[in-house]
Amino acid sequence: MYEDELNELRATQEGAEAAALALSPQADNDKLKRLEVDNSNLKAKVEQLESGASEGGRAAELEKELADKNTEVSKLQNDKEKLEAYTKKTLQKFQEKYLVALQDCKAKLKEKHDKIEALEMRSANEKMAQKREERLLSSAIYELGLGIMQNRLKH
């Protein structure tokens, strides 16, 4: 696009120079001045178009770089989503596995506490029964001794 305009301007400039050579000296001077002005204007346009072409190339380069970055961002987002999904899945498996183990341990601990409590109550009951039996035996021995003494006193 820019190259076509550039070629057109160059062709116009060359045509203007050729026409200037073909005219008379007075008209040549006027035309020469006009052509020089046109020539300088055309050179300015050529420079502008060339800089525009380089800017267009830079814009295309920047657009390509932007597309690459967008692709990279998309890839990173996909990787992040995959990692999050994997982490959640692994965490869930871990929690399920150890939650069952934890519940088993808690149940066993509760059973042991219950057993200990039952044994303590049984021990306390047995101690009370033993003391009661000791008192009964002491009482029985006392009464037996008292009965023996009364029998001896009567005989």
Side-chain angles (χ1 to χ4, degrees):
M1 178 171 111
Y2 296 119
E3 291 176 7
D4 293 338
E5 290 180 22
L6 181 62
N7 290 335
E8 258 182 53
L9 291 174
R10 285 183 181 159
T12 306
Q13 182 181 2
E14 289 173 3
E17 288 175 1
L21 293 175
L23 296 177
S24 65
Q26 178 64 20
D28 286 343
N29 285 337
D30 291 339
K31 281 197 173 190
L32 182 61
K33 288 180 185 179
R34 214 174 336 127
L35 288 175
E36 285 177 358
V37 170
D38 288 342
N39 189 19
S40 64
N41 288 339
L42 290 175
K43 283 183 181 180
K45 284 184 180 180
V46 167
E47 288 177 16
Q48 187 179 23
L49 289 175
E50 286 177 351
S51 68
S54 68
E55 288 176 7
R58 176 73 177 143
E61 181 181 317
L62 290 175
E63 287 176 4
K64 183 180 181 233
E65 189 176 327
L66 178 63
D68 291 343
K69 293 294 180 182
N70 285 338
T71 304
E72 186 177 339
V73 166
S74 298
K75 183 179 180 242
L76 289 174
Q77 284 177 341
N78 288 339
D79 290 346
K80 177 185 170 192
E81 290 170 2
K82 287 179 185 177
L83 183 61
E84 285 177 351
Y86 172 75
T87 304
K88 286 179 183 177
K89 185 175 87 173
T90 305
L91 181 62
Q92 186 176 7
K93 285 181 183 178
F94 180 81
Q95 285 177 339
E96 289 173 0
K97 178 180 177 182
Y98 288 102
L99 186 61
V100 169
L102 179 65
Q103 288 173 347
D104 288 345
C105 288
K106 284 183 178 180
K108 287 178 183 177
L109 184 63
K110 187 177 185 320
E111 287 176 16
K112 288 185 180 188
H113 281 298
D114 291 345
K115 188 174 181 178
I116 289 171
E117 191 175 305
L119 289 173
E120 286 176 350
M121 289 179 69
R122 182 176 164 197
S123 175
N125 287 337
E126 286 179 0
K127 282 182 183 178
M128 286 186 347
Q130 183 183 1
K131 285 184 182 182
R132 186 175 50 240
E133 287 175 6
E134 285 176 3
R135 286 189 302 248
L136 286 173
L137 279 173
S138 294
S139 175
I141 290 173
Y142 177 75
E143 287 181 19
L144 184 62
L146 190 59
I148 290 175
M149 284 173 60
Q150 283 178 354
N151 266 344
R152 280 192 184 177
L153 288 175
K154 285 183 184 179
H155 284 20

